[in-house]
Amino acid sequence: MSVPELKAWRAARPHVERFARAVRPWLVRALETVRPWLVRAVEAVRRSLVQALGAVRPWFARLTTVQFTAGAALLGLALAATVVTAAGPWDSSGQRTAERDFAASREVAGGADHGTGSGPGSGTAPKAPRPAPSAPSVLAGLGGTTGSVSAPAEKALGDVLGPLLDDSSLGSERTAAVVDVATGKQLYGRAADEALTPASTTKIATAVAALSAAGADHRIATRTALEPGTKELVLVGGGDPTLTAREEANGNASLRTLADKTADALKARKLDAVTLSYDTTLYDGPALHPIGPDNANLAPVTALMTDEGRLDDSSSGPADRSRDPAADAARQFAALLNDRGIKTKSPGPSKATGRAETLAKVESPPLSALVERMLTNSDNDIAEALARQTALASGEQASFEGASAAIRTQLKKLELPLEGVKFADGSGLDRADRLTANLLTALLAKAAAPDHPELRPALTGLPVAGFTGTLRNRYTDQPGTGVVRAKTGTLTGVHALAGTVVDSEGRLLAFAFLTSSDHPTDPATTQKALDGAASALANCGCGA
């Protein structure tokens, strides 16, 4: 028997499917967040039901099929409501209403959920400016819906951007490019093939290369191995800078979990004392970046570290760093083993042999998540780790030099414009890096291409103007708020901004602005000028 599709459902179906696609990524993250709580809650409910089953068994047996189905449906709805409540309210486009209202209020404390505020239900402050619920959703057009929307006219776009990029606050050199993501056509160019120091916009190239080489699902393992016929236990680094020794792992690989598994494996072998060594030989070349020692922006680049070598409780931004993250991680692991009844001698460097038996391992979040975290927070430690993962996947040495060569190789395979381009590191901290506006916009367009879904985290990780990461405190009172997604780049005398924007007619554009000056400009003024140019794209009704 076939049931005809109702007319009302046929009309509503495209909207429901569009909504489902929009909210799915957020629901997945929400489920991951509430999963431990749900497991505990379900277990508690299960125990209660078992205890109560004896009392309700006679009544339960008399339930009809309809009654049983209705009860199950109500339980399912209650569970779904719990998950949605934990994740936060959504509007019809799949955007969290808390995020939309935050863009308007600007007075709410931030965080992963952008604050809850004091307004009735939405978090909007009483005196906040009006929100912009009609603003196009970020990344609109990736589903191929822009066919009926005209691309901006090149002359009209030039008339808008030209005066803004002539602003003297941008310094002595500036290059720019704007590309229609749907077609790949360049709509605006200003010395777009001239290579300048890109600062942290280099991370876009690192992201695309790493995703292309290793894959979005790749995870970085940290393991312990026991040398045969000995009591030598080796802690083997795999290059995961997010490995954490903290009590709350927050989704990262946990050194404590590795200690639990290793202690259990040792006790199963009747061992309660070992000689602990640590292996960092996966990486080659110098560990110290050319920016030098004691730099708060980057720890020594090593295959073994915990919490990015940070000496405080921070998880992003500048912080004092360990001078020897690998040795510190080994000492932390020794202490954790001791707490679990395994005695160790003071750890020293070594190399696990091919005969060593792996006892336990923990794995990082998938590469897609690391890419997003790197881009959102402009995380230099993750950037350099991803550059080395690119080298390993490409058959190059895992060093600054090998990683730079691997990034270039991967981008060449993707047929991206590399003339005049130079990679010196993965983070953009090295002033020897050179990128063009053409390459940056091509990277963004490639990441949006339907035939390269594995590259999509290079877009979804970009900070959202006014909401997340390095753009959270920018775009005050500018129309790009909530609509621009972009990677920032800042060094002394260097300012860059590259990302995507949905214009007022619903077209998704990729843009890149690079500036440089021998006489450093005022950072706040220069950044505001770049933000203004991106906002002009968001506000541009420049269709042909």
Side-chain angles (χ1 to χ4, degrees):
M1 174 182 175
S2 62
V3 180
E5 193 176 57
L6 295 177
K7 183 177 181 180
W9 168 244
R10 287 200 302 270
R13 186 174 186 173
H15 303 286
V16 173
E17 291 177 344
R18 200 157 48 242
F19 174 75
R21 287 194 299 269
V23 303
R24 182 178 181 274
W26 286 281
L27 283 177
V28 170
R29 285 195 289 270
L31 282 170
E32 289 300 321
T33 301
V34 303
R35 187 195 302 274
W37 176 84
L38 285 176
V39 170
R40 291 193 296 271
V42 169
E43 177 60 22
V45 171
R46 186 191 67 80
R47 290 196 299 269
S48 299
L49 286 175
V50 169
Q51 294 171 358
L53 188 58
V56 302
R57 187 186 302 273
W59 172 86
F60 187 78
R62 292 193 297 272
L63 282 178
T64 67
T65 300
V66 172
Q67 289 170 328
F68 183 83
T69 303
L74 286 172
L75 179 60
L77 287 172
L79 180 60
T82 301
V83 173
V84 171
T85 300
W90 310 86
D91 66 16
S92 60
S93 71
Q95 183 182 26
R96 294 187 63 165
T97 54
E99 292 181 349
R100 181 195 65 200
D101 291 341
F102 175 85
S105 70
R106 308 294 301 175
E107 296 179 12
V108 183
D113 296 332
H114 313 303
T116 56
S118 57
S122 67
T124 303
K127 295 183 179 180
R130 293 178 61 192
S134 61
S137 300
V138 170
L139 295 186
L142 287 185
T145 60
T146 58
S148 61
V149 181
S150 62
E154 297 178 43
K155 183 180 184 306
L157 198 57
D159 290 343
V160 169
L161 285 180
L164 296 174
L165 294 176
D166 285 336
D167 191 329
S168 61
S169 68
L170 294 177
S172 54
E173 293 183 274
R174 72 286 310 270
T175 69
V178 179
V179 167
D180 177 18
V181 170
T183 64
K185 180 182 178 182
Q186 186 178 102
L187 303 175
Y188 178 84
R190 179 168 182 158
D193 58 354
E194 181 181 340
L196 294 180
T197 302
S200 279
T201 57
T202 300
K203 293 182 175 74
I204 299 174
T206 302
V208 169
L211 291 165
S212 178
D217 295 328
H218 175 67
R219 294 174 186 262
I220 306 171
T222 306
R223 65 187 179 96
T224 52
L226 186 65
E227 293 292 350
T230 73
K231 292 185 178 182
E232 183 184 5
L233 177 71
V234 187
L235 176 61
V236 183
D240 178 12
T242 65
L243 176 70
T244 182
R246 297 169 183 167
E247 289 188 12
E248 297 295 331
N250 294 320
N252 298 313
S254 171
L255 195 68
R256 293 169 183 266
T257 300
L258 186 62
D260 288 336
K261 293 180 178 180
T262 302
D264 289 343
L266 290 171
K267 290 174 183 177
R269 290 162 175 76
K270 309 298 183 183
L271 293 174
D272 59 5
V274 295
T275 298
L276 180 62
S277 303
Y278 60 94
D279 182 352
T280 63
T281 59
L282 184 67
Y283 285 1
D284 295 295
L288 200 61
H289 190 280
I291 58 174
D294 301 322
N295 192 291
N297 291 299
L298 180 67
V301 183
T302 174
L304 176 64
M305 64 169 64
T306 59
D307 301 300
E308 300 183 336
R310 295 173 181 272
L311 299 179
D312 59 16
D313 293 331
S314 66
S315 59
S316 63
D320 290 338
R321 309 301 183 101
S322 167
R323 287 195 169 193
D324 193 347
D328 286 350
R331 283 190 287 268
Q332 290 172 318
F333 191 65
L336 291 170
L337 287 178
N338 186 67
D339 291 342
R340 289 154 177 79
I342 304 296
K343 296 179 181 179
T344 66
K345 297 180 180 179
S346 296
S350 183
K351 177 178 173 57
T353 67
R355 297 178 295 110
E357 177 191 4
T358 295
L359 296 186
K361 71 174 181 178
V362 291
E363 294 184 322
S364 72
L367 200 72
S368 57
L370 296 181
V371 162
E372 289 186 334
R373 177 172 164 182
M374 171 190 71
L375 292 172
T376 299
N377 296 328
S378 199
D379 194 302
N380 298 305
D381 299 278
I382 296 178
E384 296 302 345
L386 293 182
R388 277 161 174 72
Q389 293 297 314
T390 304
L392 292 168
S394 304
E396 298 279 358
Q397 282 193 333
S399 62
F400 283 109
E401 184 177 348
S404 299
I407 291 172
R408 188 179 190 90
T409 296
Q410 292 300 323
L411 300 190
K412 185 176 181 179
K413 287 181 180 178
L414 292 170
E415 299 180 339
L416 293 164
L418 296 171
E419 186 174 354
V421 169
K422 178 182 178 182
F423 297 103
D425 65 3
S427 62
L429 288 173
D430 196 324
R431 288 178 175 273
D433 289 316
R434 291 291 186 274
L435 268 63
T436 65
N438 271 343
L439 174 60
L440 287 168
T441 51
L443 285 163
L444 295 163
K446 184 70 71 172
D451 56 340
H452 284 286
E454 77 282 2
L455 304 181
R456 207 74 81 238
L459 295 182
T460 57
L462 295 173
V464 180
F467 290 126
T468 60
T470 54
L471 286 185
R472 182 171 167 266
N473 295 318
R474 288 169 62 166
Y475 282 81
T476 303
D477 300 325
Q478 296 199 53
T481 301
V483 183
V484 172
R485 295 194 81 139
K487 181 70 200 75
T488 57
T490 305
L491 294 170
T492 303
V494 173
H495 297 277
L497 191 68
T500 63
V501 61
V502 182
D503 71 10
S504 63
E505 296 182 345
R507 198 79 177 187
L508 182 64
L509 309 176
F511 68 90
F513 306 134
L514 300 172
T515 73
S516 181
S517 184
D518 294 333
H519 303 287
T521 58
D522 174 62
T525 303
T526 303
Q527 289 170 6
K528 188 171 183 179
L530 292 176
D531 293 347
S535 291
L537 289 175
N539 206 35
C540 183
C542 304

